Amino acid sequence: MMKNLINIGIPSKGRLRKDVLKIFTKKKLKLISERGERDLIGSIKNKLNIKILYLHAREIIERLGDGSLDIGFSGFDLLKESEINTQNKINVIKKLNFGKANLVVAIPDPWIDVQTIADLEEIAFEFRDKKKKRLRVATKYANLTRDFLFSKGVTQFKLVDSLGATEAYPFTGSAELITDISSSGETLRANNLRVLKDGEILKSQACIFTSKKNSKKKGLKNFVKLLSK
């Protein structure tokens, strides 16, 4: 039984969790947790070969990569942020119609002369030459941000790991600008930030993923089909 146990990763909190749980309800799959929403492990009624693990959305990607999860629900942005080696071990089964958001470059509103990435490049060189420091970019998406800025010719910057509300960093003196995931843009506007005209790094949405390593596990293909149809 343990050999053919199917491990499914579901986000442990937030809107993404709620939307994923609706899929199971729609498929008439009753999720069981002994301690309710606080439980990190669950099961499906009458499905003894399936274990549910409630994890952080980022961890779901990592565990799909190392094969300790067979199926996972997470964001496309988190897949693309992961290391290439991890991405190569994961299949995107279906892009879902929720969790839609864009990863964007946002700057303080008062920077009226900065409208595009090209303008940002000029500012970066000014910082280097006049202030003798690099432009700081706060983000939770270091890999995607670095690759995007380099591809646009912006090289004079320093990434700052965001540990909380990224949009606050420019106004606490911790960074000059940010990259962040945004669905409506309201949070950015509320914090006097705006997206550069060509500052979209990635379009994202929730997805169903599977681990390539475990693709031939008994019953997996049929259950994936059930979840994704």
Side-chain angles (χ1 to χ4, degrees), residues 16-209:
L16 202 55
R17 173 191 170 108
K18 290 177 182 176
D19 285 336
V20 169
L21 294 183
K22 286 177 185 175
I23 292 176
F24 285 80
T25 302
K26 190 177 176 184
K27 306 294 180 184
K28 295 182 168 51
L29 297 167
K30 185 174 174 57
L31 294 173
I32 301 167
S33 296
E34 289 180 12
R35 296 181 298 168
E37 285 196 15
R38 292 188 178 183
D39 223 338
L40 300 179
I41 300 174
S43 58
I44 298 177
K45 188 176 181 180
N46 299 327
K47 300 277 185 186
L48 299 177
N49 65 321
I50 294 176
K51 182 164 75 171
I52 304 293
L53 296 153
Y54 296 97
L55 304 164
H56 190 285
R58 281 180 187 260
E59 188 180 356
I60 288 172
I61 296 296
E62 295 304 316
R63 292 210 182 181
L64 285 164
D66 68 22
S68 57
L69 282 181
D70 304 300
I71 304 170
F73 294 82
S74 191
F76 187 68
D77 56 320
L78 298 179
L79 174 72
K80 301 306 285 185
E81 173 61 17
S82 67
E83 300 297 332
I84 293 295
N85 188 42
T86 298
Q87 293 183 43
N88 290 339
K89 295 174 180 176
I90 298 173
N91 288 316
V92 181
I93 299 299
K94 183 181 182 181
K95 290 188 175 182
L96 301 165
N97 63 354
F98 57 82
K100 294 181 178 180
N102 298 330
L103 180 61
V104 296
V105 181
I107 61 167
D109 236 353
W111 290 22
I112 54 173
D113 294 333
V114 182
Q115 299 292 327
T116 66
I117 297 291
D119 298 330
L120 192 64
E121 187 185 359
E122 287 183 32
I123 293 286
F125 276 106
E126 275 184 36
F127 261 72
R128 188 195 69 175
D129 296 339
K130 293 181 182 178
K131 299 188 178 183
K132 306 300 180 190
K133 65 178 185 179
R134 283 181 294 168
L135 204 62
R136 294 169 300 170
V137 185
T139 187
K140 292 186 176 82
Y141 297 85
N143 294 329
L144 284 167
T145 298
R146 186 186 299 109
D147 292 348
F148 178 77
L149 291 177
F150 278 167
S151 75
K152 298 292 185 180
V154 182
T155 57
Q156 303 301 311
F157 63 89
K158 176 184 178 182
L159 294 177
V160 176
D161 284 333
S162 171
L163 302 173
T166 309
E167 62 273 5
Y169 275 61
F171 301 100
T172 58
S174 305
E176 279 70 52
L177 64 146
I178 70 168
T179 69
D180 203 6
I181 203 81
S182 174
S183 50
S184 66
E186 284 182 21
T187 303
L188 295 176
R189 288 190 291 273
N191 285 276
N192 294 313
L193 294 165
R194 62 182 159 82
V195 179
L196 290 176
K197 288 178 180 176
D198 54 352
E200 183 182 286
I201 300 173
L202 179 80
K203 285 186 182 296
S204 183
Q205 62 202 98
C207 299
I208 302 176
F209 302 105

